[in-house]
Amino acid sequence: MTTSSSIPSQPASLSITHNKIQIIDLLCDALIGRFQKEHAAKKLIITGSDPVPHSVQAGIYTQRTDLRVTHGEADVIILNQVVKIAQENCTSIHVVCDDTDVFVLLIHFYATQDLHTNIYMVPTNTTRSAVDIGATARQHHDIVQYLLPLHALTGCDTVSTIYGIGKKKALNVLKQGIYPPLLGDFEANFDELEATAVKFIARCYGSRNVGSMSEVRFCVWQHKTSKGKSQKFRLPALPPTSSAFQLHVKRAHFQACLWMAALQADPPTWDSTDYGWMEDRANEILLPVSLPTGTLAAPEQVLNLLCCSCTSTDACSSRRCTCNKSDIACTIFCKCKMNGSVNITCMNPLNSTVEEISDDESDHDESDDD
C-alpha cells in the first residue's frame, strides 16, 4: 500500500526560513539548467541563498564577490545589482518584474545616480508593454525625489495602505505642490517628518486642517455626517488617529531608510522595534504595532457602549439581546429604540432600573434646588 503526500500550503512553505531557503535553491537550480540549454552563449548572474551571486556561462561558474549583498529584500537586491551593472557601461538592462516597489526604486536611483544606461522594466505578462525607466525619470524629474517616500507613506510591500488613499490620489496632491515628507534619512527630525506627513495625508482626504491627525479625523467625520449627507459611512474611511498614524509614519520612514541604503552591501543595523514593529520570536517575523502600549482603541465610554438589533414584538426580553446578555439597559442607539414602530416594545428588564435611578436623581436635584 502506498500513500501520496500533498504539496504543503503556501503559508507552511514560506513561514519557515529553512523551507524558503530550500525553495530558493530549487528555483535557482531549475533556472540554471534551463538557461544553459536555451542560452548557452549568454551569461547568467543568479543570487540564491548565498549572499555572493554566481555568474554562469557555458557551464562555468564564477563567484561575483563584487555583487555580494546581505539585504533581506529581493527588491533591494535587484536594485543593487541593476545599478552596479549599469555603472559598468552596460548598454541595456531588462528587469523582468511586475513589482511596484522595484519600479519606484529604479526610477529613484536612475535619477539620483545619474545613470544613462537604457533600463527597461519588462512585465511578465506579454500583453503589456515594457516601461522605459530613464524616459519616465526624465519626464517626472521635478517630483522624482518625492516618489519613493510617497510610495512608502501610502503603502508598499512592508507598510500598510491607508484606506481610500491610493497612489493616484496621492500623486494628484503631490502635483498640486503639497509634498510628502522626505523619508529615508535617519538624521532627520522625526517630529518634522510627522507634521509634514499629517499635512500631506490630510490633503489626500480633502481636508486643509493642519492640526493633529486626530483633528483631521474629526473634520472628515463632520464632513461625512453633516446635514444633508448620508450618515451611513464606513468607519475605515476615516483617517487614522494620531497615535496610530505616528506608528505608520515610523514604519514608512524605516522602510524608506532601508531603500536608501540599497547600494550598500549590508543593510543598516537599526532596531526595527523603535519604528513601529514588534518581534514575534516564535515565528521569526516582525508584526506591526497598531497602537502604543497602554492606548485604548477607543474612549472607554465608547468601548462600554453596546447596541442591540432586536426588532421582535417582545424585543430584548431574552438573553439573545446583546444588551440584556451584557446586563445593561438599552439606549437610543439600539434598534428597538430607533425603529419607531408602535409594534415594538423594548422588554429589557434593566430599563426600569435605569428609569428608577433617573427619577431618584431628578428628585434629589429638585430638593437641592429648593
Side-chain angles (χ1 to χ4, degrees), residues 318-328 348:
S318 70
R319 301 294 279 183
R320 288 181 296 178
C321 168
T322 306
C323 297
N324 189 327
K325 184 178 180 180
S326 301
D327 294 323
I328 62 175
N348 188 333

Side-chain angles (χ1 to χ4, degrees), residues 308-322 324 330 334-337 339 343-349 351:
C308 71
S309 56
C310 303
T311 57
S312 63
T313 54
D314 58 346
C316 315
S317 60
S318 70
R319 301 294 279 183
R320 288 181 296 178
C321 168
T322 306
N324 189 327
C330 291
C334 296
K335 202 153 188 178
C336 60
K337 298 286 189 179
N339 190 279
N343 297 322
I344 296 179
T345 302
C346 179
M347 304 295 290
N348 188 333
N351 290 350

Side-chain angles (χ1 to χ4, degrees), residues 161-165 201-202 204-205 213-225 231-242 244-245:
T161 59
I162 301 176
Y163 185 92
I165 307 301
I201 296 299
C204 290
Y205 277 102
M213 185 53 73
S214 289
E215 291 174 325
V216 174
R217 179 183 174 90
F218 179 70
C219 289
V220 173
W221 174 81
Q222 278 187 314
H223 176 73
K224 289 182 177 293
T225 58
Q231 294 187 3
K232 293 183 179 179
F233 69 95
R234 298 190 64 183
L235 188 61
L238 294 178
T241 62
S242 294
F245 186 68

Side-chain angles (χ1 to χ4, degrees), residues 81-83 85-96 106-107 110 114-122 130-138:
Q81 295 184 359
V82 167
V83 172
I85 293 172
Q87 291 172 340
E88 295 175 356
N89 297 321
C90 179
T91 57
S92 181
I93 300 175
H94 288 200
V95 182
V96 182
L106 288 172
I107 292 177
Y110 190 97
D114 194 26
L115 301 178
H116 300 284
T117 302
N118 294 320
I119 300 178
Y120 299 93
M121 190 163 179
V122 182
V131 179
D132 187 332
I133 298 298
T136 305
R138 290 187 291 270

Side-chain angles (χ1 to χ4, degrees), residues 266-341:
D266 303 302
T269 56
W270 301 304
D271 188 352
S272 57
T273 59
D274 293 333
Y275 295 90
W277 295 97
M278 62 179 177
E279 293 182 343
D280 181 349
R281 296 185 180 276
N283 296 303
E284 297 183 347
I285 59 174
L286 293 174
L287 298 174
V289 180
S290 56
L291 287 172
T293 303
T295 303
L296 295 175
E300 189 172 356
Q301 297 91 327
V302 175
L303 294 176
N304 292 332
L305 181 63
L306 296 176
C307 303
C308 71
S309 56
C310 303
T311 57
S312 63
T313 54
D314 58 346
C316 315
S317 60
S318 70
R319 301 294 279 183
R320 288 181 296 178
C321 168
T322 306
C323 297
N324 189 327
K325 184 178 180 180
S326 301
D327 294 323
I328 62 175
C330 291
T331 69
I332 59 171
F333 300 106
C334 296
K335 202 153 188 178
C336 60
K337 298 286 189 179
M338 297 182 67
N339 190 279
S341 173

Side-chain angles (χ1 to χ4, degrees), residues 9 14 29 36 55 85 113 150-151 204 228 279 316 339 367-368:
S9 64
L14 300 181
D29 291 340
Q36 289 180 332
S55 172
I85 293 172
Q113 296 299 308
L150 179 148
H151 180 52
C204 290
E279 293 182 343
C316 315
N339 190 279
S367 61
D368 286 345

